[in-house]
Amino acid sequence: MEETVYLSIEQQTGNFWIDNGLVYLLLRWGEGKYPVKDILNELMDKLVQPTGNKGEYYDVQKQQLREYDKRNWVAPVNLFIKVSGDPGGKVEVNGKRYPIRPPEFQLDIKLSKKQSVCDVCGQAARVTDAKMWMYPFVVDPGNFGNFYSGTKRGLRLCARCALAGLAAYLSWWWRRQGSDAVHFFLFHTDLSDLQRLHQEVLRPLQLTGESGGNVRPAFSGKYLHETTLGVLLFLFSHIPSSDVLLEKARQFLASLFGANGVADAPSVVLYAVRGVPAQAFDMKELKEFSHLQRLYRLYEGWKRGMEEIYDLPHPHQRVVRVLEQFYARRQREQETLWRDRIARAVLHWDDPLPVLEEFLFDVLVKQDNPRPLRQGTDWMLVDYYLKEVFQMDEQFIRTLSRFGHALGAAAHEKSEMGLLYALRNAKNVEEFYRVLNDVQFRLSLTVPESLLQLEKGDRIAGAAWRRVKHMLAIYAMNNYLRKETPREQDENREEA
Ligand SMILES: [Zn+2]
């Protein structure tokens, strides 16, 4: 009897990999009962495609070598599935071994005779031992324990979950950068919303025919967090208005990210997976990003500020330019480590100031043509971020900003960059105050009263002294560089 599966929108499993695959199957086949073999064959046709190269096999009947079109797993699936084609045997001709037919790619779902419970969907069914091509997390349960509900015996899947697991390979966004690639799964626990998301939003925004990936993030690099932030910014840019999405799709996307004021609407989660090509399945990182509605609100706040405070047009582009600037040129390559660390801080609601400070003092200052941070950076990542994310006192932020800027200007006027480094290098609160003392003396600046309020636990006006130090160092050095850079040149760079 032919094995069949029943596909339905009611069958969500809560597993992001399998559910994304189920949505793929539903969009292609619709609800209903289908032979396993038919679905498997069609998936294989999509997953294994001609590479454009030719190979040779030995035709045993005609006793001659013949050419064939080589086929292989499509990118980026070839990074994950390493099952090779079956050559049907090999023969030696003129000292060289040849397959006796064009290699055939086949995957089989061998189901148990007896029924058992599927580890993913929980249904009683005939099951198969999960292979990597059905569910890649099965290979490394230690590292990916959260996504692996099985025990030491391994994971058992019903035919539907196994097919969905294979289909999942066709459902994601990915981006390659050099030898690295990052893969993205947007996930929603409601299967019909997930289906809508794929059909109305993700597919229309998806690129085809590009070897570098099927999504074009606002920026991307070899690291996971920077590219993830780039992908989210790209998605966010389609929420207020979109030249690609239909109006109802745009509204749906807006509701998923809480953009229309519906607080606590069930939200989407983003999973990002980084793997290294050219190695047999090597998934380096898997990260889950929730709180995307909160991130969208932060992004909206940033955009508003760019418009209202700086009176800058194209606020989305401005926000992107601020976040993408954290790289250094190394010969012909860009080292984007700092951008990744800034993105990591933002995506995890962490403190970006240590990276910002490091980037200013160790990268920007030391360039051939030192330049300040892009316009709006200190407001976005210091003032606004600290107020929104760490609920830092607004008045104190303003005081520090004013003093920091004055410090930078005075240090520039008196050629005292060394003082800024001394400030940056302060290791404890005593050293920090010693530097401020020097500042008063050498730059004739008065340190604001509130900065002198040292509290228990080395806190200053309620904030950790180190954070206060980072803020002052950033404001001061950035303003120093602003004074250093001719306005005209700075403008050119802004538009470059
Ligand atoms: Zn199942």
Side-chain angles (χ1 to χ4, degrees):
M1 197 188 73
E2 195 171 47
E3 194 63 34
T4 58
V5 288
Y6 185 74
L7 301 177
S8 154
I9 195 81
E10 309 291 332
Q11 291 159 335
Q12 68 217 37
T13 66
N15 177 300
F16 82 90
W17 185 277
I18 303 293
D19 280 0
N20 268 293
L22 271 177
V23 161
Y24 182 93
L25 295 178
L26 282 164
L27 284 173
R28 163 63 187 87
W29 296 76
E31 285 197 309
K33 197 170 163 186
Y34 306 98
V36 169
K37 206 151 52 58
D38 290 4
I39 295 182
L40 191 57
N41 285 343
E42 193 180 301
L43 290 176
M44 287 298 286
D45 274 350
K46 290 216 156 47
L47 287 163
V48 178
Q49 304 232 331
T51 61
N53 297 327
K54 303 277 185 197
E56 277 185 315
Y57 74 96
Y58 186 74
D59 186 329
V60 179
Q61 269 179 352
K62 298 200 168 139
Q63 304 210 334
Q64 61 182 31
L65 286 172
R66 303 185 62 169
E67 214 177 53
Y68 70 93
D69 290 320
K70 279 191 175 176
R71 287 153 57 84
N72 204 349
W73 300 96
V74 294
V77 178
N78 54 358
L79 309 178
F80 293 83
I81 303 183
K82 298 289 178 183
V83 178
S84 46
D86 175 4
K90 287 199 170 178
V91 289
E92 196 171 303
V93 183
N94 303 331
K96 212 177 145 192
R97 289 174 67 76
Y98 290 93
I100 58 166
R101 65 171 193 214
E104 285 171 15
F105 288 80
Q106 267 177 339
L107 297 177
D108 256 335
I109 298 178
K110 292 195 185 73
L111 294 168
S112 60
K113 295 221 164 56
K114 278 197 298 188
Q115 287 212 338
S116 171
V117 172
C118 170
D119 283 327
V120 169
C121 70
Q123 283 200 0
R126 292 171 62 199
V127 294
T128 184
D129 288 330
K131 304 281 192 307
M132 206 183 71
W133 58 264
M134 302 168 193
Y135 191 61
F137 307 103
V138 78
V139 294
D140 201 349
N143 277 351
F144 304 109
N146 288 347
F147 300 95
Y148 184 75
S149 58
T151 58
K152 281 209 180 89
R153 65 165 164 74
L155 198 63
R156 287 178 191 152
L157 301 179
C158 69
R160 188 181 61 230
C161 288
L163 287 173
L166 182 61
Y169 283 100
L170 291 162
S171 75
W172 73 55
W173 275 359
W174 62 285
R175 189 77 212 165
R176 186 200 293 267
Q177 186 79 27
S179 63
D180 294 76
V182 190
H183 315 275
F184 300 97
F185 287 87
L186 274 163
F187 180 57
H188 196 294
T189 47
D190 183 309
L191 210 56
S192 50
D193 275 348
L194 187 62
Q195 178 168 337
R196 242 190 113 179
L197 185 65
H198 272 280
Q199 190 169 22
E200 298 182 16
V201 178
L202 302 184
R203 286 192 180 177
L205 292 177
Q206 195 165 312
L207 303 169
T208 49
E210 282 205 19
S211 59
N214 61 2
V215 59
R216 191 172 295 130
F219 45 78
S220 63
K222 63 193 280 195
Y223 306 108
L224 184 141
H225 289 90
E226 54 173 337
T227 308
T228 301
L229 187 58
V231 163
L232 285 168
L233 289 169
F234 163 71
L235 200 58
F236 288 174
S237 73
H238 286 276
I239 291 179
S241 68
S242 176
D243 49 2
V244 180
L245 303 179
L246 296 174
E247 180 54 20
K248 70 177 171 77
R250 189 197 64 75
Q251 281 177 18
F252 172 63
L253 184 64
S255 74
L256 288 181
F257 284 93
N260 40 12
V262 185
D264 302 324
S267 181
V268 285
V269 175
L270 179 74
Y271 291 94
V273 176
R274 188 170 70 89
V276 178
Q279 290 173 16
F281 180 75
D282 191 359
M283 188 148 56
K284 291 288 186 196
E285 282 177 277
L286 166 68
K287 298 276 184 228
E288 177 186 305
F289 301 97
S290 44
H291 307 293
L292 297 183
Q293 296 190 345
R294 188 179 170 204
L295 190 69
Y296 184 75
R297 283 199 296 278
L298 180 71
Y299 160 81
E300 275 187 317
W302 279 340
K303 273 203 322 181
R304 255 195 325 273
M306 287 304 193
E307 262 178 324
E308 290 168 8
I309 303 172
Y310 293 96
D311 195 22
L312 292 171
H314 315 301
H316 168 79
Q317 285 310 326
R318 293 287 169 173
V319 169
V320 167
R321 286 173 59 79
V322 162
L323 293 168
E324 69 99 19
Q325 72 181 308
F326 301 100
Y327 58 82
R329 285 188 209 288
R330 294 271 154 85
Q331 277 110 36
R332 286 166 56 210
E333 289 208 356
Q334 285 185 356
E335 175 51 78
T336 56
L337 192 67
W338 300 275
R339 180 163 75 198
D340 187 63
R341 288 167 61 200
I342 292 276
R344 182 195 303 254
V346 168
L347 289 169
H348 292 294
W349 306 102
D350 244 331
D351 186 353
L353 299 195
V355 192
L356 201 55
E357 185 190 76
E358 185 184 316
F359 184 72
L360 255 171
F361 282 79
D362 294 343
V363 180
L364 290 187
V365 176
K366 295 181 177 168
Q367 280 178 342
D368 291 341
N369 296 305
R371 62 169 175 86
L373 293 163
R374 285 185 179 150
Q375 196 175 11
T377 304
D378 46 1
W379 174 79
M380 254 177 68
L381 289 173
V382 186
D383 304 20
Y384 188 74
Y385 191 88
L386 292 180
K387 178 167 80 78
E388 290 299 309
V389 178
F390 294 107
Q391 282 78 49
M392 195 167 170
D393 180 65
E394 227 179 321
Q395 183 58 45
F396 190 46
I397 294 175
R398 260 201 298 274
T399 304
L400 288 174
S401 168
R402 258 198 307 271
F403 180 60
H405 282 90
L407 177 60
H412 183 260
E413 205 184 298
K414 304 201 168 160
S415 302
E416 289 269 21
M417 190 193 255
L419 264 183
L420 303 188
Y421 272 92
L423 178 67
R424 181 255 169 119
N425 294 336
K427 295 281 176 296
N428 51 48
V429 73
E430 290 78 22
E431 249 183 74
F432 174 63
Y433 277 126
R434 259 201 306 279
V435 177
L436 288 186
N437 219 3
D438 270 5
V439 164
Q440 300 216 80
F441 181 68
R442 282 155 69 177
L443 303 180
S444 324
L445 280 179
T446 309
V447 176
E449 193 82 356
S450 52
L451 244 168
L452 302 172
Q453 292 168 12
L454 186 63
E455 298 158 4
K456 229 171 66 185
D458 288 348
R459 300 179 80 80
I460 302 171
W465 81 269
R466 197 177 287 278
R467 177 165 296 153
V468 173
K469 192 264 318 185
H470 286 315
M471 290 169 75
L472 279 186
I474 291 165
Y475 292 133
M477 181 55 93
N478 197 35
N479 205 32
Y480 184 103
L481 292 177
R482 265 192 215 122
K483 303 281 176 204
E484 187 86 351
T485 316
R487 183 76 189 147
E488 214 170 279
Q489 203 183 328
D490 197 23
E491 285 298 299
N492 285 341
R493 259 196 304 270
E494 276 292 305
E495 301 313 320

